[in-house]
Amino acid sequence: MRKIIVLSMITLDGVMQAPGGPKEDTSGGFEYGGWTEPYGDEVFGNVVQKELKENADYLLGRKTFEIWENYWPNHADFWPGINEGTKYVFSNTRKDSDWKNSVFIKSVTDIRELKNLPAGRHGSKGTDIHVWGSSQLIQLLLKNDLVDELRLKIFPLTLGKGKKLFDKGPLPAAFTLTESTITTTGVIIAYYKRAGDVKTGTVGE
């Protein structure tokens, strides 16, 4: 079974909207686009480059896809994988695109089937599915227990408003920390793997 891996840059209060630039996503009157820029360093850059070079297919929400389909086809030198990999787009309104290797799906059942299909990009089973951006889609995945791993980059600031990673009732779930590092600018990079049900108890017993 293929893993669905969510890769997100978030603030301390969970905001993930428009990390890359002022014009990336201004919906809802969001004014802080590009909030990650002051925190870049060599450590962060190396982690991102490693992630971009991984063999993967991609699962994207419609809004993220529409931002990306006008940008990444012209920037293949920075991220070749996003053009060559299969992009599964969760949408009830879009059915096609000129961006190559784009496939449109519209239900949770479709997503479950993707986890059991041979990889679209490499023709072999085992290629994981990466989710970037796509806040509403991630919330749907969490609600239906379809996230196998979380790769979070947690930035040392709060924004108070904006699209958030954990919103609208994610399913209670436990995760295990598998890898972590802290950049010179205070960004916590933490990878988590799904680890069964939530366990409870009384402290001190």
Side-chain angles (χ1 to χ4, degrees):
M1 180 178 290
R2 303 162 73 187
K3 293 185 293 185
I4 292 181
I5 301 172
V6 169
L7 304 94
S8 290
M9 292 177 278
I10 62 173
T11 64
L12 291 174
D13 55 341
V15 174
M16 58 180 292
Q17 185 169 350
K23 298 181 180 179
E24 184 178 2
D25 181 1
T26 59
S27 61
F30 190 70
E31 301 174 350
Y32 300 104
W35 47 268
T36 64
E37 193 279 332
Y39 300 96
D41 72 350
E42 184 177 358
V43 175
F44 186 87
N46 289 340
V47 170
V48 171
Q49 282 299 313
K50 182 180 177 181
E51 290 175 340
L52 297 184
K53 291 177 181 178
E54 290 184 18
N55 292 334
D57 289 332
Y58 305 91
L59 177 60
L60 305 171
R62 178 185 59 80
K63 291 181 180 178
T64 295
F65 177 79
E66 289 182 343
I67 293 170
W68 286 16
E69 71 176 327
N70 294 317
Y71 181 84
W72 285 116
N74 300 315
H75 295 83
D77 55 331
F78 185 80
W79 190 7
I82 193 62
N83 289 309
E84 299 303 323
T86 300
K87 294 162 286 291
Y88 299 104
V89 187
F90 191 84
S91 175
N92 289 316
T93 57
R94 290 287 300 270
K95 295 182 179 179
D96 56 61
S97 172
D98 291 333
W99 194 7
K100 67 178 182 179
N101 302 324
S102 296
V103 177
F104 291 82
I105 60 175
K106 58 182 180 180
S107 71
V108 172
T109 299
D110 291 337
I111 296 173
R112 293 187 189 281
E113 290 177 353
L114 287 181
K115 289 173 66 68
N116 295 301
L117 286 176
R121 179 180 176 189
H122 300 284
S124 61
K125 294 181 180 180
T127 299
D128 294 329
I129 301 170
H130 287 188
V131 184
W132 295 77
S134 311
S135 60
Q136 292 184 1
L137 173 60
I138 291 172
Q139 291 159 17
L140 180 67
L141 295 173
L142 290 168
K143 184 177 180 180
N144 287 275
D145 199 18
L146 288 168
V147 175
D148 298 288
E149 295 182 18
L150 292 166
R151 297 184 181 178
L152 304 183
K153 300 169 184 69
I154 306 165
F155 287 73
L157 77 161
T158 59
L159 294 178
K161 65 176 183 178
K163 297 175 182 177
K164 295 188 175 184
L165 177 65
F166 301 107
D167 199 4
K168 300 181 181 178
L171 185 78
F175 289 83
T176 296
L177 180 68
T178 59
E179 185 177 341
S180 65
T181 189
I182 300 176
T183 73
T184 62
T185 59
V187 179
I188 299 172
I189 301 172
Y191 288 9
Y192 298 91
K193 181 173 64 175
R194 184 72 169 86
D197 297 330
V198 174
K199 295 180 175 63
T200 63
T202 301
V203 176
E205 286 191 353

